[in-house]
Structure formats: structure tokens, C-alpha cells
Amino acid sequence: MTPPSKEIKGFKKNPEVTMVMTVNSSIERAFNYIVPINLTHIFRGNALIPAIIDATIKQGWNKAGLQRTVYFADGSTSQESLLTVNAPASFSYKNEHFTSKVLSSLVKRLEGEWLFTDLGNQKTRIEWTYRAVPANFLARIVVKLVLLKALGSALKSALEIIKIDLETGILENGTTWNSKS
């Protein structure tokens, strides 16, 4: 019996996209800013993924086990759960129960993971991965061909905003929520 090829093995793995950026900031400052960040400040939407306009927990989003509802500009919602918090090295979360017809037909959940590496000299490497757990086999194809590009674009834009905030020291937009609900 021959072992499965790399392509078949890799296809069973859930599709994911990772963005990496280095910021001029201590690891502690970057971690403490990003974990509870104002989602409306960094997720401004794109062609496939609507902007985030609110969330039910705004302050104190820094303990594993917390859950909140995230509200999108198109009127849809998702449930977000903070899974792990290992300061200042990493944290992870999942978004599921999407009310958006598009996202709910494509994914069971999205899993997010942030990894922080202290590079010394007040520099931090940030690695942000989004993993999509497809709703079914056909959805996996659309996720790989379409959704991952939209997610990658959203992550890249969010990281660029975070980098500017951390490097300019202007953190108010990321730490202050102006609730719409």
C-alpha cells in the first residue's frame, strides 16, 4: 500500500491564510494592544467580508473562555469565543454561527491565531493565521479559491492599521469603542 501523496494529504488540512509583519514595539505592548483591540477600527470590510460595526464585549476581552456576538455592517452576526491567551506569546479564538448566508454556507467556523515573537530592540514579529473549517467539500473549493483571498486582504489591512497605531503611539482608536447598538 502506498502512502497518500502530499497533495491529497494537504487537501484534507483546513484552508488557511497567514500574514506576518514586524512592528517597532515591545512584545508586551503589541500583545496588550492587539488582544482586546476595537474590531471596528481594524475590520473595515471588503468585497466579500462586511465591516464589523460592534461587539457585545468591548472591554476586558483578554481571558480564555469569554464569548461575544460580533455585528457586521450587512446586519449579520457571528459568535466569537476566546480560546487561549498566553501573554505575551499568543492567543487564539474562533468565530462560528454566522448568520450571513454566504459565510454560513461556506464555513462551519473560522479559527484565528496570533503568535508574537520578541526580536529584541523593541521589535516584535506578529504572525496572524485564519483557518477556515469548510461547511462541506464543495464549500472547501470556494473557500480556497475565493474566501482566503478576501480574508488575506482583511488581515493585511488590519495589520497595517495596527502597525501604524503601535509605531505612532496613537492607540485611542484601537482601545476606544463607539457603540452603535
Side-chain angles (χ1 to χ4, degrees):
M1 186 172 186
T2 58
S5 71
K6 286 182 183 175
E7 292 81 34
I8 293 171
K9 240 177 150 177
F11 193 75
K12 290 183 180 178
K13 181 180 169 191
N14 288 323
E16 63 183 43
V17 60
T18 299
M19 293 291 157
V20 178
M21 181 173 284
T22 298
V23 296
N24 295 317
S25 173
S26 71
I27 190 171
E28 292 83 6
R29 184 169 180 241
F31 184 88
N32 291 330
Y33 178 63
I34 292 170
V35 176
I37 199 161
N38 176 347
L39 299 177
T40 67
H41 177 56
I42 62 168
F43 283 111
R44 300 180 178 176
N46 60 35
L48 186 60
I49 302 168
I52 292 177
I53 59 169
D54 207 354
T56 54
I57 296 178
K58 298 165 183 60
Q59 303 299 320
W61 182 255
N62 58 4
K63 294 178 191 87
L66 291 176
Q67 296 182 334
R68 65 182 172 187
T69 301
V70 176
Y71 297 89
F72 296 91
D74 67 353
S76 66
T77 63
S78 73
Q79 297 302 309
E80 184 176 45
S81 302
L82 196 50
L83 302 174
T84 63
V85 178
N86 301 307
S90 67
F91 71 97
S92 65
Y93 54 93
K94 66 180 176 179
N95 276 287
E96 58 191 346
H97 308 298
F98 292 94
T99 61
S100 159
K101 289 185 192 317
V102 173
L103 287 177
S104 65
S105 67
L106 292 176
V107 295
K108 292 179 187 174
R109 70 180 172 277
L110 293 171
E111 301 168 346
E113 180 179 36
W114 292 73
L115 302 174
F116 299 80
T117 305
D118 186 346
L119 300 176
N121 296 323
Q122 298 293 304
K123 292 189 184 305
T124 302
R125 180 180 188 267
I126 299 169
E127 184 176 326
W128 187 8
T129 299
Y130 249 81
R131 191 169 302 104
V133 179
N136 56 53
F137 180 78
L138 290 177
R140 174 184 295 276
I141 295 166
V142 177
V143 165
K144 285 182 118 178
L145 295 176
V146 180
L147 183 62
L148 286 187
K149 287 183 180 134
L151 280 172
S153 172
L155 299 186
K156 183 175 185 267
S157 295
L159 276 175
E160 288 169 352
I161 293 166
I162 289 167
K163 181 178 176 74
I164 290 168
D165 290 354
L166 286 168
E167 292 183 356
T168 63
I170 302 171
L171 307 179
E172 294 80 23
N173 290 333
T175 59
T176 306
W177 287 73
N178 295 315
S179 181
K180 300 198 166 84
S181 58

